[in-house]
Amino acid sequence: MALFSSSTQVIPNEAKIPRHVAVIMDGNGRWARNRFLPRVAGHKRGVDTVREMIKHCAVLGVEYLTLFAFSSENWRRPQEEVSFLMGLFMESLKKEVIKLHKNNIRLIMIGDRSRFDSLLCKEIDDAELLTKDNTGLTLTIAANYGGRWDIIQAINNLQKSHPELCGNFSESHITPFLSMSYAPEPDLFIRTGGETRISNFLLWQLAYTELYFTETLWPDFDDKAFNLAIESYQKRERRFGRTSEQLKS
Ligand code: IPE
Ligand code: IPE
Ligand code: MG
């Protein structure tokens, strides 16, 4: 598709591109404050970074991109900011979904939708339905998502489906009920904005993910900055409990 063919980016070592990248997009408010703008101007600008990041991931051959857009704790923010974020979410969905679809991107939302208004829920359902058979990048947006919520809903649903297993649950019983059961666990986690915490993101799924933290604020996180994260990932040795010697032999 034309949208993606114009990229002139140098692709870092194609052989070891992470299959799944999960991102906490942080620093919008500070980006705006640094420019004497209202915080919401940073959120608006952050949407442009999302668009560029999706394109770049598709070019690189990342299969799953998961973006933390709104945490279950973000309701604690001032009412005007929450409303603005909900509006921006709705507007971006409306504006971008056709483009995503044309580029063979599958869109999935994870998180607790019970606090969203019915119009937003409908927009999300329609977007998921339209793109569900696409075979390119899977873009997951985590909205009103919390890692603890995810684990609890998985266990509750497992118990409802298999009451006979109660008291004997194992990992392989729980994982099919987690929100991201359709995806492999993230290979690379990126948090922009300088904080070095997980903030209740994918707690279960990040158990063996390579973590990358950068001071760069989300609106400034461009293709070059993303490539640095990929390069850092490519230098890591993923041992999963084994020794380095075992991996080499
Ligand atoms: C991240 O940017 C976006 C959301 C949480 C929705 P912030 O709004 O947290 O930006 P900072 O951390 O205040 O700079
Ligand atoms: C985390 O960002 C959630 C999202 C990016 C959506 P916050 O900026 O809200 O995180 P904390 O609360 O400072 O850890
Ligand atoms: Mg923040």
Side-chain angles (χ1 to χ4, degrees):
M1 273 312 291
L3 177 63
F4 293 152
S5 57
S6 60
S7 176
T8 51
Q9 273 302 312
V10 178
I11 297 178
N13 183 6
E14 285 180 63
K16 215 178 144 190
I17 296 295
R19 265 187 93 188
H20 183 174
V21 179
V23 187
I24 296 187
M25 310 182 286
D26 197 17
N28 293 348
R30 279 163 286 164
W31 182 91
R33 202 178 55 206
N34 291 344
R35 287 162 179 74
F36 307 101
L37 295 168
R39 291 178 54 80
V40 294
H43 297 317
K44 231 175 146 183
R45 192 54 179 263
V47 176
D48 298 336
T49 307
V50 169
R51 203 178 296 113
E52 290 307 311
M53 176 82 128
I54 295 167
K55 281 192 219 172
H56 193 49
C57 281
V59 170
L60 290 181
V62 170
E63 293 173 54
Y64 298 87
L65 173 65
T66 302
L67 302 175
F68 204 5
F70 191 88
S71 76
S72 41
E73 290 72 30
N74 287 146
W75 296 104
R76 296 172 186 156
R77 293 192 177 198
Q79 177 54 41
E80 318 82 73
E81 184 170 340
V82 170
S83 301
F84 182 89
L85 283 167
M86 292 299 147
L88 188 62
F89 194 23
M90 180 84 170
E91 187 191 313
S92 308
L93 265 176
K94 277 197 169 141
K95 236 166 74 188
E96 307 290 339
V97 164
I98 298 294
K99 231 182 324 175
L100 294 177
H101 183 51
K102 284 188 180 151
N103 283 282
N104 198 23
I105 292 170
R106 173 168 69 141
L107 178 72
I108 299 178
M109 307 283 318
I110 57 166
D112 179 2
R113 293 185 199 177
S114 62
R115 274 183 86 171
F116 292 158
D117 77 40
S118 56
L119 282 176
L120 181 56
C121 288
K122 165 122 181 42
E123 205 66 37
I124 295 171
D125 287 343
D126 290 351
E128 286 184 333
L129 189 66
L130 177 71
T131 63
K132 74 177 177 27
D133 296 322
N134 290 343
T135 55
L137 176 77
T138 295
L139 171 65
T140 301
I141 305 288
N144 195 19
Y145 178 87
R148 290 179 181 171
W149 164 85
D150 196 1
I151 294 168
I152 290 167
Q153 69 77 28
I155 291 173
N156 284 335
N157 287 319
L158 167 61
Q159 193 172 331
K160 268 183 225 148
S161 308
H162 296 285
E164 76 285 0
L165 291 176
C166 212
N168 290 299
F169 294 154
S170 66
E171 281 187 29
S172 62
H173 292 133
I174 293 171
T175 47
F177 288 88
L178 291 167
S179 307
M180 291 207 73
S181 57
Y182 54 87
E185 287 172 7
D187 301 294
L188 172 63
F189 160 95
I190 299 171
R191 181 172 187 147
T192 63
E195 311 295 352
T196 46
R197 54 183 175 245
I198 303 292
S199 299
N200 198 18
F201 195 23
L202 302 159
L203 297 180
W204 178 288
Q205 298 86 339
L206 291 175
Y208 256 108
T209 302
E210 296 299 328
L211 307 180
Y212 179 86
F213 297 94
T214 171
E215 293 289 328
T216 305
L217 304 173
W218 178 250
D220 293 327
F221 193 72
D222 58 10
D223 293 358
K224 247 166 94 185
F226 184 64
N227 285 351
L228 288 178
I230 302 269
E231 278 159 25
S232 166
Y233 168 80
Q234 291 178 334
K235 288 188 197 126
R236 319 258 180 113
E237 184 181 60
R238 305 190 73 190
R239 290 193 287 278
F240 298 99
R242 295 185 183 82
T243 67
S244 197
E245 290 70 27
Q246 281 179 304
L247 294 178
K248 276 165 195 135
S249 68

